[in-house]
Amino acid sequence: MVQPISAFSRMGEENAFAVLARANALAAQGRDIINLGIGQPDFSTPDHIAEAAIKAIRDGHHGYTPATGTLECREAVARRTLTTTGIEVSPERICIVPGGKVTMYAAITMLGEPGVEIMYPDPGFPIYRSMIEFTGAAPIPVPVREENGFAFSGEEAASLLTDKTRLVILNSPANPTGGVTPREEIAKLVTALERFPKATVMSDEIYDSMTYDGEAATSLLTFPEIADRLIVLNGWSKTWAMTGWRMGWSIWPDALFDAMRKLAVNCWSCVNAPSQFAGIAAIDGPQDDVVKMMTAFDERRKLVVDRANALPNITCATPKGAFYAFPNISETGWKAKELASKLLEETSVATIGGPDFGILGEGYIRLSYANSSQNIERALERIGTFLAD
Ligand code: PLP
């Protein structure tokens, strides 16, 4: 029998996709599914962005672009980076990639191998650990605790650094918790990194424009002391409601950029040309739709927290970023994945069990509030009725 190399047996999954498939299958049977599972904005990509791609196709932009993206698109990313972080980054260090995940794949496979350690947030985006295990590197979870407002503790993260640490993965604002790590905590870790010069940092900043209550996301770019070993993951998926376009960007240190370019040449050649025109329009065009989307997310955030806290034996911290709430269900008597599965099968509400994001996710479920206020109300009502039975 043919089979892939054994590393594939260590590769994990993103259960949100399995939940989405099950939710869609139930919906196809006529069930009134409310999906609080999937992590994608329920808004359409703004018209002017879509029009830029359509125009690019009509104008004949059908060919390959440079593997790392067109200069115009990389320059747009550099402009946006300057606006959001105040840091000037050369387009020569920017790579346009087919979705945020690709940067994760590239960074982890470039640096992971047996004998080294890679730190990653737990609970956190499941693909970090999946890819770390794939490479044979040792996964070292950095706890993200509710009592710290779902931020990682700089001291705790620093205590996990060793001479074997090859890569440290950070994510703020965070999936699945909505936590935003304060600058002082990040600064503590950055200071500790001075003693570990071989450790690279990958900062996943894909939710950088999604914060609430005046909270600011801190970019790792604003720590010049690690500029020569920092990879920034970002992209269009969340900010401009473009998950299906598969458009991301990454910023690389000079020492790693050529490896990234080679990976692009070997693997995807380039991101499709019309999408790169859309990417420029997203960055340079009006941001009114982004503001409208964030206003809606903010309203729903308050609603979901309010309704979740009214449920029996559930408490829900107010998320500071992204579009997820991570209610604590440990007092309900349910295991989180079992509860999520029952909620889908019996109440037609899709959620994700916390353990799908790591061991420390037990006791929580993730609710994505990328759904209408009306649906959020209905979903939380159904969950309440289920828990009361
Ligand atoms: N990083 C985090 C923290 C995410 O939550 C996601 C998507 O959910 C990604 C990266 C991947 O984004 P993309 O859909 O652009 O690959």
Side-chain angles (χ1 to χ4, degrees):
M1 199 177 66
V2 291
Q3 54 184 0
I5 57 165
S6 62
F8 277 86
S9 65
R10 299 192 301 266
M11 192 183 256
E13 299 262 0
E14 188 181 348
N15 202 32
F17 282 97
V19 172
L20 179 64
R22 179 70 187 144
N24 286 343
L26 291 173
Q29 291 168 16
R31 292 262 295 264
D32 174 24
I33 297 289
I34 305 174
N35 198 337
L36 305 186
I38 193 71
Q40 66 178 340
D42 55 319
F43 294 86
S44 303
T45 302
D47 279 348
H48 71 278
I49 300 176
E51 288 302 331
I54 293 164
K55 180 171 183 314
I57 295 172
R58 294 226 163 91
D59 289 350
H61 293 287
H62 57 264
Y64 294 124
T65 77
T68 55
T70 63
L71 180 60
E72 292 77 8
C73 193
R74 286 180 287 126
E75 283 175 344
V77 170
R79 279 194 293 282
R80 198 248 181 199
T81 306
L82 182 61
T83 310
T84 54
T85 67
I87 303 296
E88 238 171 280
V89 173
S90 160
E92 300 300 312
R93 294 208 289 126
I94 293 168
C95 188
I96 309 301
V97 283
K101 254 182 193 169
V102 175
T103 301
M104 213 175 282
Y105 173 88
I108 298 171
T109 52
M110 211 181 276
L111 297 163
E113 61 184 330
V116 308
E117 296 175 351
I118 301 185
M119 288 164 50
Y120 69 100
D122 181 348
F125 193 57
I127 300 304
Y128 305 141
R129 184 175 174 121
S130 164
M131 285 311 305
I132 296 167
E133 303 240 36
F134 180 72
T135 66
I140 309 293
V142 177
V144 174
R145 299 180 198 280
E146 184 177 359
E147 60 263 35
N148 294 338
F150 290 123
F152 66 84
S153 140
E155 264 159 44
E156 193 169 20
S159 74
L160 297 167
L161 289 166
T162 74
D163 291 332
K164 288 190 189 157
T165 308
R166 179 69 71 75
L167 178 64
V168 179
I169 300 174
L170 304 175
N171 172 222
S172 172
N175 178 10
T177 57
V180 176
T181 300
R183 186 175 181 84
E184 356 21 306
E185 294 305 314
I186 299 174
K188 284 182 207 164
L189 177 63
V190 169
T191 303
L193 278 164
E194 278 169 31
R195 287 184 286 118
F196 300 93
K198 282 196 234 145
T200 300
V201 176
M202 185 189 84
S203 178
D204 182 342
E205 302 183 0
I206 201 145
Y207 296 102
D208 68 349
S209 63
M210 300 187 149
T211 56
Y212 309 96
D213 299 334
E215 193 80 29
T218 301
S219 172
L220 268 285
L221 283 169
T222 58
F223 293 90
E225 53 275 54
I226 53 163
D228 61 348
R229 49 177 162 143
L230 172 67
I231 302 163
V232 175
L233 179 162
N234 211 324
W236 284 265
S237 293
K238 316 286 174 172
T239 304
W240 292 281
M242 292 174 71
T243 48
W245 290 73
R246 309 313 300 136
M247 281 283 287
W249 73 77
S250 32
I251 301 171
W252 294 81
D254 285 331
L256 296 178
F257 191 82
D258 203 50
M260 182 59 194
R261 184 193 58 75
K262 271 186 172 159
L263 195 60
V265 170
N266 276 268
C267 196
W268 57 88
S269 294
C270 66
V271 170
N272 79 77
S275 290
Q276 295 190 52
F277 282 85
I280 299 169
I283 288 174
D284 289 343
Q287 302 298 312
D288 318 26
D289 289 312
V290 176
V291 173
K292 265 190 228 153
M293 183 168 79
M294 285 309 294
T295 306
F297 279 152
D298 194 12
E299 280 164 18
R300 296 162 181 189
R301 175 181 73 113
K302 290 170 183 150
L303 181 67
V304 82
V305 169
D306 182 66
R307 297 299 189 269
N309 275 314
L311 296 174
N313 299 318
I314 288 188
T315 55
C316 184
T318 303
K320 296 179 181 159
F323 43 80
Y324 310 108
F326 207 54
N328 186 325
I329 57 105
S330 56
E331 296 296 313
T332 61
W334 284 93
K335 287 275 180 203
K337 277 181 69 91
E338 241 175 275
L339 178 61
S341 161
K342 286 273 183 204
L343 288 176
L344 179 56
E345 300 300 329
E346 295 186 17
T347 75
S348 303
V349 175
T351 64
I352 312 284
D356 283 335
F357 303 97
I359 293 167
L360 293 178
E362 185 53 86
Y364 299 88
I365 57 171
R366 188 187 78 173
L367 305 179
S368 158
Y369 45 89
N371 208 321
S372 66
S373 295
Q374 195 197 6
N375 278 342
I376 290 170
E377 297 244 28
R378 289 169 61 225
L380 275 281
E381 244 173 59
R382 287 187 197 176
I383 298 175
T385 309
F386 174 84
L387 288 171
D389 278 351

